[in-house]
Amino acid sequence: MASNKYWACFLLLFGKCASYENLCRKTDIIASQSSDRVGLPATKAVDGNYNQRSYLQCSHTAPGRTKAWFQVDLRRPYRVNSVTIYYRNEDNWKPYRFRQFYLDVSNTSAAVSTTSTPQRMRCYKDNTTYPTTHPAVIDITCKQTAQYVIIETTYNAPENPPLEHGPMLEICEIDIFGCSTDCFGDTCYSNGVCDRCGGGHWGQTCKYNCPSNCYMGSCDKYSGSCNRGCRPGFWGVNCTERCSVPCLNEICDYDNGTCVEGCKTYFTGSMCQSCIPTRYGEKCEEPCSINCINETCQANNGTCTFGCDGNHVGAKCLQCNRHLMFHVIYFSHFFHNLKQLD
């Protein structure tokens, strides 16, 4: 029965078969119970030993109490699917104390000390009454997101020996089947690997966050690369590169960064990284000197690319050509004097 539950699966696309991870096989879980019968602690119920025919192989709470409980702390919330309980079932001692128990789950550590509805979600309540005995193995569907799984009873079995009155639990093994909350659609495999990841996660168990700039938070399950492109304004494999500010609307191709909607005014180039020939400056807001040939200049400093017209000199062609002006003045005076002689 355990193996059937462990490999329980359903048909996915292309005939793929998924099951659930047995969360009780994780090494960091914590099992506890309301009291210990000597030598029979809660850890005996999560040790992988399914022997139900010897109480020495089972966890066992002590007699003389008004309530008995057993709890598994999964250490973080999981999407629980079902719980299987293997109860003590010896030839001379049937599961008499298994009557009237209930199974709750919770996300707060205080839940074991209270039965209030807000803190605990009930998955099962047994109604077996004397003299009927409950099956020693029970599968309970419990589709909840929870960190704590609690089995509890206040039932005092009539079969109890005179010196062993009060409710007691004798759990030989417990299996809790579920998946990481990061798995998409609650589907995973028996080793905890998610069939698919929920939005914003990647990796075998979907524990890694997708890069923050992936479009719609989506990335490849195996590589973490943004498989639907980048959100506006970013590009690159992991969308870590910003689109060029001069890109119109700062939108660019997420594969190569080229500006897909063109450039802002006065910018040019596939990534709008350059000024048009007649502009310069950090924002291409400065016009080249009209004294530059073709009014073109270097984008970084405004130096005239092809030199100056004949009337001006200097890197930006802003100074008058003094040598030319001397000749202009000289010939102007010469012709003026010549006219006077006439």
Side-chain angles (χ1 to χ4, degrees), residues 10 14 27 29 55 57-58 63-64 92 103 107 112 124 201 206 208 229 232 246 264 280 282:
F10 56 88
F14 311 111
T27 58
I29 66 166
Y55 77 95
Q57 308 301 321
C58 307
N92 61 344
L103 175 72
N107 281 307
V112 76
Y124 181 81
H201 294 87
C206 303
Y208 302 111
K264 293 179 181 178
Y280 77 98
E282 183 180 352

mmCIF file with all atom_site columns, all heavy atoms in Angstrom, residues 10 14 27 29 55 57-58 63-64 92 103 107 112 124 201 206 208 229 232 246 264 280 282:
data_model
loop_
_atom_site.group_PDB
_atom_site.id
_atom_site.type_symbol
_atom_site.label_atom_id
_atom_site.label_alt_id
_atom_site.label_comp_id
_atom_site.label_asym_id
_atom_site.label_entity_id
_atom_site.label_seq_id
_atom_site.pdbx_PDB_ins_code
_atom_site.Cartn_x
_atom_site.Cartn_y
_atom_site.Cartn_z
_atom_site.occupancy
_atom_site.B_iso_or_equiv
_atom_site.pdbx_formal_charge
_atom_site.auth_seq_id
_atom_site.auth_comp_id
_atom_site.auth_asym_id
_atom_site.auth_atom_id
_atom_site.pdbx_PDB_model_num
ATOM 1   N N   . PHE A 1 10  ? -0.590  10.950 -11.920 1.00 0.00 ? 10  PHE A N   1
ATOM 2   C CA  . PHE A 1 10  ? -1.646  11.230 -12.869 1.00 0.00 ? 10  PHE A CA  1
ATOM 3   C C   . PHE A 1 10  ? -1.035  11.564 -14.211 1.00 0.00 ? 10  PHE A C   1
ATOM 4   O O   . PHE A 1 10  ? 0.111   11.958 -14.313 1.00 0.00 ? 10  PHE A O   1
ATOM 5   C CB  . PHE A 1 10  ? -2.552  12.377 -12.375 1.00 0.00 ? 10  PHE A CB  1
ATOM 6   C CG  . PHE A 1 10  ? -1.816  13.630 -12.084 1.00 0.00 ? 10  PHE A CG  1
ATOM 7   C CD1 . PHE A 1 10  ? -1.593  14.567 -13.075 1.00 0.00 ? 10  PHE A CD1 1
ATOM 8   C CD2 . PHE A 1 10  ? -1.345  13.876 -10.800 1.00 0.00 ? 10  PHE A CD2 1
ATOM 9   C CE1 . PHE A 1 10  ? -0.915  15.718 -12.792 1.00 0.00 ? 10  PHE A CE1 1
ATOM 10  C CE2 . PHE A 1 10  ? -0.648  15.031 -10.523 1.00 0.00 ? 10  PHE A CE2 1
ATOM 11  C CZ  . PHE A 1 10  ? -0.439  15.956 -11.522 1.00 0.00 ? 10  PHE A CZ  1
ATOM 12  N N   . PHE A 1 14  ? 1.552   14.418 -23.050 1.00 0.00 ? 14  PHE A N   1
ATOM 13  C CA  . PHE A 1 14  ? 2.523   13.489 -23.630 1.00 0.00 ? 14  PHE A CA  1
ATOM 14  C C   . PHE A 1 14  ? 2.714   12.252 -22.763 1.00 0.00 ? 14  PHE A C   1
ATOM 15  O O   . PHE A 1 14  ? 3.736   11.564 -22.826 1.00 0.00 ? 14  PHE A O   1
ATOM 16  C CB  . PHE A 1 14  ? 3.886   14.169 -23.845 1.00 0.00 ? 14  PHE A CB  1
ATOM 17  C CG  . PHE A 1 14  ? 3.779   15.494 -24.540 1.00 0.00 ? 14  PHE A CG  1
ATOM 18  C CD1 . PHE A 1 14  ? 4.061   16.673 -23.863 1.00 0.00 ? 14  PHE A CD1 1
ATOM 19  C CD2 . PHE A 1 14  ? 3.381   15.570 -25.864 1.00 0.00 ? 14  PHE A CD2 1
ATOM 20  C CE1 . PHE A 1 14  ? 3.940   17.892 -24.495 1.00 0.00 ? 14  PHE A CE1 1
ATOM 21  C CE2 . PHE A 1 14  ? 3.265   16.796 -26.493 1.00 0.00 ? 14  PHE A CE2 1
ATOM 22  C CZ  . PHE A 1 14  ? 3.543   17.958 -25.817 1.00 0.00 ? 14  PHE A CZ  1
ATOM 23  N N   . THR A 1 27  ? 15.529  15.417 5.660   1.00 0.00 ? 27  THR A N   1
ATOM 24  C CA  . THR A 1 27  ? 16.358  15.258 6.859   1.00 0.00 ? 27  THR A CA  1
ATOM 25  C C   . THR A 1 27  ? 16.159  16.366 7.887   1.00 0.00 ? 27  THR A C   1
ATOM 26  O O   . THR A 1 27  ? 16.583  16.218 9.035   1.00 0.00 ? 27  THR A O   1
ATOM 27  C CB  . THR A 1 27  ? 17.838  15.190 6.473   1.00 0.00 ? 27  THR A CB  1
ATOM 28  O OG1 . THR A 1 27  ? 18.194  16.383 5.747   1.00 0.00 ? 27  THR A OG1 1
ATOM 29  C CG2 . THR A 1 27  ? 18.117  13.978 5.595   1.00 0.00 ? 27  THR A CG2 1
ATOM 30  N N   . ILE A 1 29  ? 13.164  17.746 8.868   1.00 0.00 ? 29  ILE A N   1
ATOM 31  C CA  . ILE A 1 29  ? 11.866  17.817 9.534   1.00 0.00 ? 29  ILE A CA  1
ATOM 32  C C   . ILE A 1 29  ? 12.017  17.531 11.030  1.00 0.00 ? 29  ILE A C   1
ATOM 33  O O   . ILE A 1 29  ? 13.005  16.931 11.465  1.00 0.00 ? 29  ILE A O   1
ATOM 34  C CB  . ILE A 1 29  ? 10.849  16.835 8.912   1.00 0.00 ? 29  ILE A CB  1
ATOM 35  C CG1 . ILE A 1 29  ? 11.295  15.387 9.155   1.00 0.00 ? 29  ILE A CG1 1
ATOM 36  C CG2 . ILE A 1 29  ? 10.646  17.116 7.436   1.00 0.00 ? 29  ILE A CG2 1
ATOM 37  C CD1 . ILE A 1 29  ? 10.195  14.373 8.876   1.00 0.00 ? 29  ILE A CD1 1
ATOM 38  N N   . TYR A 1 55  ? 5.376   -2.805 18.962  1.00 0.00 ? 55  TYR A N   1
ATOM 39  C CA  . TYR A 1 55  ? 5.252   -1.443 19.474  1.00 0.00 ? 55  TYR A CA  1
ATOM 40  C C   . TYR A 1 55  ? 6.624   -0.800 19.690  1.00 0.00 ? 55  TYR A C   1
ATOM 41  O O   . TYR A 1 55  ? 6.748   0.429  19.738  1.00 0.00 ? 55  TYR A O   1
ATOM 42  C CB  . TYR A 1 55  ? 4.437   -1.436 20.772  1.00 0.00 ? 55  TYR A CB  1
ATOM 43  C CG  . TYR A 1 55  ? 5.180   -1.889 22.003  1.00 0.00 ? 55  TYR A CG  1
ATOM 44  C CD1 . TYR A 1 55  ? 5.782   -0.979 22.857  1.00 0.00 ? 55  TYR A CD1 1
ATOM 45  C CD2 . TYR A 1 55  ? 5.277   -3.253 22.317  1.00 0.00 ? 55  TYR A CD2 1
ATOM 46  C CE1 . TYR A 1 55  ? 6.473   -1.392 23.982  1.00 0.00 ? 55  TYR A CE1 1
ATOM 47  C CE2 . TYR A 1 55  ? 5.961   -3.670 23.444  1.00 0.00 ? 55  TYR A CE2 1
ATOM 48  C CZ  . TYR A 1 55  ? 6.554   -2.745 24.272  1.00 0.00 ? 55  TYR A CZ  1
ATOM 49  O OH  . TYR A 1 55  ? 7.240   -3.158 25.386  1.00 0.00 ? 55  TYR A OH  1
ATOM 50  N N   . GLN A 1 57  ? 8.862   -0.557 17.616  1.00 0.00 ? 57  GLN A N   1
ATOM 51  C CA  . GLN A 1 57  ? 9.248   0.122  16.386  1.00 0.00 ? 57  GLN A CA  1
ATOM 52  C C   . GLN A 1 57  ? 8.408   1.383  16.149  1.00 0.00 ? 57  GLN A C   1
ATOM 53  O O   . GLN A 1 57  ? 8.567   2.044  15.126  1.00 0.00 ? 57  GLN A O   1
ATOM 54  C CB  . GLN A 1 57  ? 9.085   -0.818 15.188  1.00 0.00 ? 57  GLN A CB  1
ATOM 55  C CG  . GLN A 1 57  ? 9.769   -2.169 15.327  1.00 0.00 ? 57  GLN A CG  1
ATOM 56  C CD  . GLN A 1 57  ? 11.262  -2.014 15.547  1.00 0.00 ? 57  GLN A CD  1
ATOM 57  O OE1 . GLN A 1 57  ? 11.910  -1.161 14.948  1.00 0.00 ? 57  GLN A OE1 1
ATOM 58  N NE2 . GLN A 1 57  ? 11.814  -2.844 16.425  1.00 0.00 ? 57  GLN A NE2 1
ATOM 59  N N   . CYS A 1 58  ? 7.536   1.692  17.081  1.00 0.00 ? 58  CYS A N   1
ATOM 60  C CA  . CYS A 1 58  ? 6.581   2.792  16.878  1.00 0.00 ? 58  CYS A CA  1
ATOM 61  C C   . CYS A 1 58  ? 6.821   3.915  17.887  1.00 0.00 ? 58  CYS A C   1
ATOM 62  O O   . CYS A 1 58  ? 7.395   3.711  18.952  1.00 0.00 ? 58  CYS A O   1
ATOM 63  C CB  . CYS A 1 58  ? 5.148   2.279  17.044  1.00 0.00 ? 58  CYS A CB  1
ATOM 64  S SG  . CYS A 1 58  ? 4.765   0.828  16.019  1.00 0.00 ? 58  CYS A SG  1
ATOM 65  N N   . PRO A 1 63  ? 0.670   7.144  28.985  1.00 0.00 ? 63  PRO A N   1
ATOM 66  C CA  . PRO A 1 63  ? -0.702  7.087  29.517  1.00 0.00 ? 63  PRO A CA  1
ATOM 67  C C   . PRO A 1 63  ? -0.931  8.170  30.562  1.00 0.00 ? 63  PRO A C   1
ATOM 68  O O   . PRO A 1 63  ? -0.021  8.891  30.950  1.00 0.00 ? 63  PRO A O   1
ATOM 69  C CB  . PRO A 1 63  ? -0.767  5.684  30.128  1.00 0.00 ? 63  PRO A CB  1
ATOM 70  C CG  . PRO A 1 63  ? 0.652   5.387  30.514  1.00 0.00 ? 63  PRO A CG  1
ATOM 71  C CD  . PRO A 1 63  ? 1.510   6.049  29.469  1.00 0.00 ? 63  PRO A CD  1
ATOM 72  N N   . GLY A 1 64  ? -2.183  8.256  30.995  1.00 0.00 ? 64  GLY A N   1
ATOM 73  C CA  . GLY A 1 64  ? -2.506  9.141  32.104  1.00 0.00 ? 64  GLY A CA  1
ATOM 74  C C   . GLY A 1 64  ? -2.694  10.597 31.715  1.00 0.00 ? 64  GLY A C   1
ATOM 75  O O   . GLY A 1 64  ? -2.680  11.477 32.582  1.00 0.00 ? 64  GLY A O   1
ATOM 76  N N   . ASN A 1 92  ? -1.950  -9.377 19.280  1.00 0.00 ? 92  ASN A N   1
ATOM 77  C CA  . ASN A 1 92  ? -2.665  -9.299 20.550  1.00 0.00 ? 92  ASN A CA  1
ATOM 78  C C   . ASN A 1 92  ? -3.052  -7.860 20.921  1.00 0.00 ? 92  ASN A C   1
ATOM 79  O O   . ASN A 1 92  ? -3.548  -7.612 22.019  1.00 0.00 ? 92  ASN A O   1
ATOM 80  C CB  . ASN A 1 92  ? -1.817  -9.902 21.683  1.00 0.00 ? 92  ASN A CB  1
ATOM 81  C CG  . ASN A 1 92  ? -0.504  -9.144 21.850  1.00 0.00 ? 92  ASN A CG  1
ATOM 82  O OD1 . ASN A 1 92  ? -0.097  -8.394 20.967  1.00 0.00 ? 92  ASN A OD1 1
ATOM 83  N ND2 . ASN A 1 92  ? 0.145   -9.363 22.978  1.00 0.00 ? 92  ASN A ND2 1
ATOM 84  N N   . LEU A 1 103 ? -7.106  14.706 12.151  1.00 0.00 ? 103 LEU A N   1
ATOM 85  C CA  . LEU A 1 103 ? -5.893  15.168 11.478  1.00 0.00 ? 103 LEU A CA  1
ATOM 86  C C   . LEU A 1 103 ? -6.073  16.628 11.077  1.00 0.00 ? 103 LEU A C   1
ATOM 87  O O   . LEU A 1 103 ? -6.994  16.970 10.343  1.00 0.00 ? 103 LEU A O   1
ATOM 88  C CB  . LEU A 1 103 ? -5.610  14.319 10.232  1.00 0.00 ? 103 LEU A CB  1
ATOM 89  C CG  . LEU A 1 103 ? -4.431  14.785 9.370   1.00 0.00 ? 103 LEU A CG  1
ATOM 90  C CD1 . LEU A 1 103 ? -3.107  14.489 10.072  1.00 0.00 ? 103 LEU A CD1 1
ATOM 91  C CD2 . LEU A 1 103 ? -4.457  14.097 8.006   1.00 0.00 ? 103 LEU A CD2 1
ATOM 92  N N   . ASN A 1 107 ? -0.139  26.499 9.812   1.00 0.00 ? 107 ASN A N   1
ATOM 93  C CA  . ASN A 1 107 ? 1.068   27.241 9.446   1.00 0.00 ? 107 ASN A CA  1
ATOM 94  C C   . ASN A 1 107 ? 1.650   27.994 10.629  1.00 0.00 ? 107 ASN A C   1
ATOM 95  O O   . ASN A 1 107 ? 2.528   28.835 10.452  1.00 0.00 ? 107 ASN A O   1
ATOM 96  C CB  . ASN A 1 107 ? 0.763   28.217 8.303   1.00 0.00 ? 107 ASN A CB  1
ATOM 97  C CG  . ASN A 1 107 ? 0.722   27.519 6.961   1.00 0.00 ? 107 ASN A CG  1
ATOM 98  O OD1 . ASN A 1 107 ? 1.661   26.821 6.598   1.00 0.00 ? 107 ASN A OD1 1
ATOM 99  N ND2 . ASN A 1 107 ? -0.377  27.670 6.240   1.00 0.00 ? 107 ASN A ND2 1
ATOM 100 N N   . VAL A 1 112 ? -0.481  23.461 17.838  1.00 0.00 ? 112 VAL A N   1
ATOM 101 C CA  . VAL A 1 112 ? -0.578  22.209 18.573  1.00 0.00 ? 112 VAL A CA  1
ATOM 102 C C   . VAL A 1 112 ? -1.176  22.406 19.957  1.00 0.00 ? 112 VAL A C   1
ATOM 103 O O   . VAL A 1 112 ? -1.690  21.477 20.562  1.00 0.00 ? 112 VAL A O   1
ATOM 104 C CB  . VAL A 1 112 ? 0.813   21.534 18.658  1.00 0.00 ? 112 VAL A CB  1
ATOM 105 C CG1 . VAL A 1 112 ? 1.689   22.237 19.678  1.00 0.00 ? 112 VAL A CG1 1
ATOM 106 C CG2 . VAL A 1 112 ? 0.679   20.049 18.981  1.00 0.00 ? 112 VAL A CG2 1
ATOM 107 N N   . TYR A 1 124 ? -9.408  15.642 8.511   1.00 0.00 ? 124 TYR A N   1
ATOM 108 C CA  . TYR A 1 124 ? -10.088 14.358 8.757   1.00 0.00 ? 124 TYR A CA  1
ATOM 109 C C   . TYR A 1 124 ? -10.502 14.259 10.219  1.00 0.00 ? 124 TYR A C   1
ATOM 110 O O   . TYR A 1 124 ? -9.765  14.681 11.115  1.00 0.00 ? 124 TYR A O   1
ATOM 111 C CB  . TYR A 1 124 ? -9.158  13.199 8.408   1.00 0.00 ? 124 TYR A CB  1
ATOM 112 C CG  . TYR A 1 124 ? -9.763  11.828 8.599   1.00 0.00 ? 124 TYR A CG  1
ATOM 113 C CD1 . TYR A 1 124 ? -10.611 11.278 7.639   1.00 0.00 ? 124 TYR A CD1 1
ATOM 114 C CD2 . TYR A 1 124 ? -9.488  11.083 9.738   1.00 0.00 ? 124 TYR A CD2 1
ATOM 115 C CE1 . TYR A 1 124 ? -11.175 10.016 7.824   1.00 0.00 ? 124 TYR A CE1 1
ATOM 116 C CE2 . TYR A 1 124 ? -10.030 9.817  9.927   1.00 0.00 ? 124 TYR A CE2 1
ATOM 117 C CZ  . TYR A 1 124 ? -10.881 9.299  8.962   1.00 0.00 ? 124 TYR A CZ  1
ATOM 118 O OH  . TYR A 1 124 ? -11.422 8.059  9.136   1.00 0.00 ? 124 TYR A OH  1
ATOM 119 N N   . HIS A 1 201 ? 10.036  31.531 -10.671 1.00 0.00 ? 201 HIS A N   1
ATOM 120 C CA  . HIS A 1 201 ? 11.013  30.620 -10.079 1.00 0.00 ? 201 HIS A CA  1
ATOM 121 C C   . HIS A 1 201 ? 11.594  29.675 -11.131 1.00 0.00 ? 201 HIS A C   1
ATOM 122 O O   . HIS A 1 201 ? 10.997  29.448 -12.179 1.00 0.00 ? 201 HIS A O   1
ATOM 123 C CB  . HIS A 1 201 ? 10.374  29.801 -8.951  1.00 0.00 ? 201 HIS A CB  1
ATOM 124 C CG  . HIS A 1 201 ? 9.963   30.627 -7.779  1.00 0.00 ? 201 HIS A CG  1
ATOM 125 N ND1 . HIS A 1 201 ? 8.727   31.237 -7.700  1.00 0.00 ? 201 HIS A ND1 1
ATOM 126 C CD2 . HIS A 1 201 ? 10.623  30.968 -6.653  1.00 0.00 ? 201 HIS A CD2 1
ATOM 127 C CE1 . HIS A 1 201 ? 8.654   31.913 -6.569  1.00 0.00 ? 201 HIS A CE1 1
ATOM 128 N NE2 . HIS A 1 201 ? 9.778   31.762 -5.914  1.00 0.00 ? 201 HIS A NE2 1
ATOM 129 N N   . CYS A 1 206 ? 12.576  24.508 -8.036  1.00 0.00 ? 206 CYS A N   1
ATOM 130 C CA  . CYS A 1 206 ? 12.004  25.855 -8.237  1.00 0.00 ? 206 CYS A CA  1
ATOM 131 C C   . CYS A 1 206 ? 12.329  26.792 -7.078  1.00 0.00 ? 206 CYS A C   1
ATOM 132 O O   . CYS A 1 206 ? 11.532  27.677 -6.735  1.00 0.00 ? 206 CYS A O   1
ATOM 133 C CB  . CYS A 1 206 ? 10.501  25.777 -8.446  1.00 0.00 ? 206 CYS A CB  1
ATOM 134 S SG  . CYS A 1 206 ? 10.009  24.718 -9.833  1.00 0.00 ? 206 CYS A SG  1
ATOM 135 N N   . TYR A 1 208 ? 14.928  28.908 -6.942  1.00 0.00 ? 208 TYR A N   1
ATOM 136 C CA  . TYR A 1 208 ? 15.620  30.125 -7.339  1.00 0.00 ? 208 TYR A CA  1
ATOM 137 C C   . TYR A 1 208 ? 14.641  31.126 -7.953  1.00 0.00 ? 208 TYR A C   1
ATOM 138 O O   . TYR A 1 208 ? 13.692  30.738 -8.644  1.00 0.00 ? 208 TYR A O   1
ATOM 139 C CB  . TYR A 1 208 ? 16.723  29.825 -8.347  1.00 0.00 ? 208 TYR A CB  1
ATOM 140 C CG  . TYR A 1 208 ? 17.757  28.847 -7.848  1.00 0.00 ? 208 TYR A CG  1
ATOM 141 C CD1 . TYR A 1 208 ? 17.856  27.568 -8.400  1.00 0.00 ? 208 TYR A CD1 1
ATOM 142 C CD2 . TYR A 1 208 ? 18.612  29.185 -6.805  1.00 0.00 ? 208 TYR A CD2 1
ATOM 143 C CE1 . TYR A 1 208 ? 18.795  26.663 -7.942  1.00 0.00 ? 208 TYR A CE1 1
ATOM 144 C CE2 . TYR A 1 208 ? 19.553  28.283 -6.331  1.00 0.00 ? 208 TYR A CE2 1
ATOM 145 C CZ  . TYR A 1 208 ? 19.645  27.024 -6.903  1.00 0.00 ? 208 TYR A CZ  1
ATOM 146 O OH  . TYR A 1 208 ? 20.561  26.120 -6.443  1.00 0.00 ? 208 TYR A OH  1
ATOM 147 N N   . GLY A 1 229 ? 11.519  36.940 -23.001 1.00 0.00 ? 229 GLY A N   1
ATOM 148 C CA  . GLY A 1 229 ? 12.059  38.267 -23.226 1.00 0.00 ? 229 GLY A CA  1
ATOM 149 C C   . GLY A 1 229 ? 12.152  39.073 -21.942 1.00 0.00 ? 229 GLY A C   1
ATOM 150 O O   . GLY A 1 229 ? 11.983  38.549 -20.837 1.00 0.00 ? 229 GLY A O   1
ATOM 151 N N   . PRO A 1 232 ? 10.084  45.982 -20.617 1.00 0.00 ? 232 PRO A N   1
ATOM 152 C CA  . PRO A 1 232 ? 10.539  47.152 -21.374 1.00 0.00 ? 232 PRO A CA  1
ATOM 153 C C   . PRO A 1 232 ? 11.672  47.882 -20.680 1.00 0.00 ? 232 PRO A C   1
ATOM 154 O O   . PRO A 1 232 ? 11.638  48.115 -19.472 1.00 0.00 ? 232 PRO A O   1
ATOM 155 C CB  . PRO A 1 232 ? 9.277   48.022 -21.459 1.00 0.00 ? 232 PRO A CB  1
ATOM 156 C CG  . PRO A 1 232 ? 8.150   47.046 -21.388 1.00 0.00 ? 232 PRO A CG  1
ATOM 157 C CD  . PRO A 1 232 ? 8.622   45.973 -20.440 1.00 0.00 ? 232 PRO A CD  1
ATOM 158 N N   . PRO A 1 246 ? 18.780  56.957 -25.308 1.00 0.00 ? 246 PRO A N   1
ATOM 159 C CA  . PRO A 1 246 ? 18.259  57.648 -26.497 1.00 0.00 ? 246 PRO A CA  1
ATOM 160 C C   . PRO A 1 246 ? 17.301  56.806 -27.345 1.00 0.00 ? 246 PRO A C   1
ATOM 161 O O   . PRO A 1 246 ? 16.726  57.322 -28.307 1.00 0.00 ? 246 PRO A O   1
ATOM 162 C CB  . PRO A 1 246 ? 19.531  57.982 -27.293 1.00 0.00 ? 246 PRO A CB  1
ATOM 163 C CG  . PRO A 1 246 ? 20.627  57.965 -26.300 1.00 0.00 ? 246 PRO A CG  1
ATOM 164 C CD  . PRO A 1 246 ? 20.256  56.889 -25.346 1.00 0.00 ? 246 PRO A CD  1
ATOM 165 N N   . LYS A 1 264 ? 15.540  58.879 -30.312 1.00 0.00 ? 264 LYS A N   1
ATOM 166 C CA  . LYS A 1 264 ? 15.085  60.209 -29.943 1.00 0.00 ? 264 LYS A CA  1
ATOM 167 C C   . LYS A 1 264 ? 15.752  61.247 -30.864 1.00 0.00 ? 264 LYS A C   1
ATOM 168 O O   . LYS A 1 264 ? 16.749  60.957 -31.531 1.00 0.00 ? 264 LYS A O   1
ATOM 169 C CB  . LYS A 1 264 ? 15.433  60.497 -28.478 1.00 0.00 ? 264 LYS A CB  1
ATOM 170 C CG  . LYS A 1 264 ? 14.670  59.626 -27.490 1.00 0.00 ? 264 LYS A CG  1
ATOM 171 C CD  . LYS A 1 264 ? 15.075  59.927 -26.051 1.00 0.00 ? 264 LYS A CD  1
ATOM 172 C CE  . LYS A 1 264 ? 14.315  59.025 -25.074 1.00 0.00 ? 264 LYS A CE  1
ATOM 173 N NZ  . LYS A 1 264 ? 14.728  59.256 -23.676 1.00 0.00 ? 264 LYS A NZ  1
ATOM 174 N N   . TYR A 1 280 ? 26.286  67.669 -31.323 1.00 0.00 ? 280 TYR A N   1
ATOM 175 C CA  . TYR A 1 280 ? 27.271  67.070 -30.417 1.00 0.00 ? 280 TYR A CA  1
ATOM 176 C C   . TYR A 1 280 ? 26.839  67.309 -28.974 1.00 0.00 ? 280 TYR A C   1
ATOM 177 O O   . TYR A 1 280 ? 25.882  68.012 -28.693 1.00 0.00 ? 280 TYR A O   1
ATOM 178 C CB  . TYR A 1 280 ? 28.662  67.637 -30.683 1.00 0.00 ? 280 TYR A CB  1
ATOM 179 C CG  . TYR A 1 280 ? 28.911  69.027 -30.135 1.00 0.00 ? 280 TYR A CG  1
ATOM 180 C CD1 . TYR A 1 280 ? 29.565  69.217 -28.917 1.00 0.00 ? 280 TYR A CD1 1
ATOM 181 C CD2 . TYR A 1 280 ? 28.499  70.169 -30.833 1.00 0.00 ? 280 TYR A CD2 1
ATOM 182 C CE1 . TYR A 1 280 ? 29.807  70.491 -28.412 1.00 0.00 ? 280 TYR A CE1 1
ATOM 183 C CE2 . TYR A 1 280 ? 28.726  71.442 -30.350 1.00 0.00 ? 280 TYR A CE2 1
ATOM 184 C CZ  . TYR A 1 280 ? 29.383  71.602 -29.124 1.00 0.00 ? 280 TYR A CZ  1
ATOM 185 O OH  . TYR A 1 280 ? 29.611  72.855 -28.625 1.00 0.00 ? 280 TYR A OH  1
ATOM 186 N N   . GLU A 1 282 ? 26.650  65.440 -24.727 1.00 0.00 ? 282 GLU A N   1
ATOM 187 C CA  . GLU A 1 282 ? 26.182  64.218 -24.063 1.00 0.00 ? 282 GLU A CA  1
ATOM 188 C C   . GLU A 1 282 ? 24.769  63.855 -24.482 1.00 0.00 ? 282 GLU A C   1
ATOM 189 O O   . GLU A 1 282 ? 24.438  62.685 -24.645 1.00 0.00 ? 282 GLU A O   1
ATOM 190 C CB  . GLU A 1 282 ? 26.245  64.410 -22.546 1.00 0.00 ? 282 GLU A CB  1
ATOM 191 C CG  . GLU A 1 282 ? 25.842  63.177 -21.763 1.00 0.00 ? 282 GLU A CG  1
ATOM 192 C CD  . GLU A 1 282 ? 25.916  63.392 -20.250 1.00 0.00 ? 282 GLU A CD  1
ATOM 193 O OE1 . GLU A 1 282 ? 26.423  64.443 -19.830 1.00 0.00 ? 282 GLU A OE1 1
ATOM 194 O OE2 . GLU A 1 282 ? 25.462  62.506 -19.517 1.00 0.00 ? 282 GLU A OE2 1
#
